[in-house]
Amino acid sequence: MKKITIAVDGYSAGGKSTMAKDLAKEIGYVYIDSGAMYRAVTLYCLQHGLLKNEKIDEEGLKAALANNAVRITFHANAATGCPDTFLNETNVENAIRGMEVADHASAVAALGFVRHAMVAAQQAMGREKGVVMDGRDIGTVVFPDAELKIFVTASPEVRARRRFNELTAKGIAASYEEVLTNVRKRDHVDSTREESPLRQAADALILDNSELSPAEQKEWLLARVREAVVR
Ligand code: DC
């Protein structure tokens, strides 16, 4: 069957990753979490003193990216069946999910030279098609020609509750209010930044999953994939 590119965009904590991961598994596609790449760059900054007192050492980060000192790769995790994120050959899948990285990731992702480097890497990963990539600018910037574009929405409260439950399940300490504040702050930064702000591609299909069960969502998605593959 024809392989296509599937772009999944939307606000943070909208359930995009879980949805995109499940979909990729179901149809035998490669799943790529582009947000994990911005998170890994943020972790690199925190680990190397490039992010202090809310200020990013842009020159330092630019040099690190130019010197290929920030190598981000994905490797399948046999236990979960999903790709884990690696930064310079170290598995950082858990390290990039904490609140410290989440709090700073929007600022790092707003830098034009960071986006430029990540978009080039994402386009290279998707060259062969057969990928489901999720993020903010996948349907608009990374793969404007994607055969299927989904824009996921849900209220900030619904998203914060989900992220809070996710963190709690992983044993990561956080309060619901803290998570809601973080979700709102990221919505604002992600949609008002100058470089590739979060917006819906004109040809994206909207999926509001506030009221959908995972099974209903999957059914809807598989129907859209079937349509896109025969188009
Ligand atoms: O989806 P996420 O929460 O893991 O994303 C982490 C950060 O990276 C978030 O601030 C949005 C940003 N991001 C982005 O700017 N562009 C993408 N394609 C993916 C994520």
Side-chain angles (χ1 to χ4, degrees):
M1 206 189 298
K2 178 176 98 173
K3 290 226 169 198
I4 62 168
T5 301
I6 303 177
V8 180
D9 289 302
Y11 292 101
S12 65
K16 289 189 308 292
S17 303
T18 311
M19 189 196 97
K21 239 180 248 173
D22 287 351
L23 176 65
K25 228 188 249 179
E26 180 85 25
I27 61 177
Y29 276 28
V30 173
Y31 164 67
I32 298 164
D33 176 357
S34 70
M37 299 173 72
Y38 292 99
R39 285 171 180 262
V41 176
T42 307
L43 181 65
Y44 180 91
C45 291
L46 290 166
Q47 286 174 340
H48 291 80
L50 299 177
L51 220 170
K52 278 190 210 145
N53 306 323
E54 307 291 311
K55 252 196 82 62
I56 303 167
D57 175 355
E58 293 190 27
E59 290 314 311
L61 179 55
K62 227 179 253 179
L65 287 168
N67 295 332
N68 196 28
V70 193
R71 293 179 303 280
I72 301 165
T73 49
F74 294 99
H75 301 285
N77 176 325
T80 61
C82 291
D84 278 353
T85 313
F86 283 66
L87 172 61
N88 297 329
E89 292 78 45
T90 300
N91 189 329
V92 294
E93 189 55 38
N94 285 331
I96 60 170
R97 305 293 167 192
M99 290 302 288
E100 197 185 9
V101 168
D103 268 342
H104 296 99
S106 283
V108 171
L111 298 172
F113 64 91
V114 172
R115 302 205 70 81
H116 194 79
M118 294 306 113
V119 168
Q122 289 151 9
Q123 288 172 336
M125 289 179 198
R127 200 161 287 144
E128 306 293 321
K129 294 195 179 259
V131 294
V132 180
M133 191 176 293
D134 77 2
R136 305 292 187 287
D137 59 342
I138 310 305
T140 51
V141 177
V142 182
F143 298 125
D145 297 329
E147 290 85 350
L148 179 58
K149 300 179 185 177
I150 312 278
F151 192 85
V152 190
T153 64
S155 72
E157 290 76 15
V158 167
R159 290 183 281 127
R161 178 58 60 193
R162 285 189 195 141
R163 179 64 49 105
F164 171 75
N165 291 343
E166 234 172 67
L167 291 171
T168 312
K170 284 186 187 163
I172 299 172
S175 73
Y176 168 75
E177 282 68 31
E178 187 187 0
V179 175
L180 180 60
T181 303
N182 177 265
V183 162
R184 289 214 169 104
K185 181 174 142 197
R186 285 202 288 160
D187 282 1
H188 180 74
V189 178
D190 291 348
S191 50
T192 56
R193 70 180 176 219
E194 260 174 52
E195 288 284 339
S196 314
L198 168 65
R199 62 187 168 82
Q200 189 198 327
D203 51 350
L205 305 173
I206 295 193
L207 169 61
D208 184 337
N209 64 12
S210 303
E211 309 287 335
L212 286 185
S213 72
E216 287 167 333
Q217 180 169 279
K218 192 178 209 167
E219 199 179 310
W220 184 88
L221 278 168
L222 289 175
R224 301 294 83 74
V225 172
R226 281 193 291 272
E227 287 165 4
V229 166
V230 296
R231 255 202 302 269

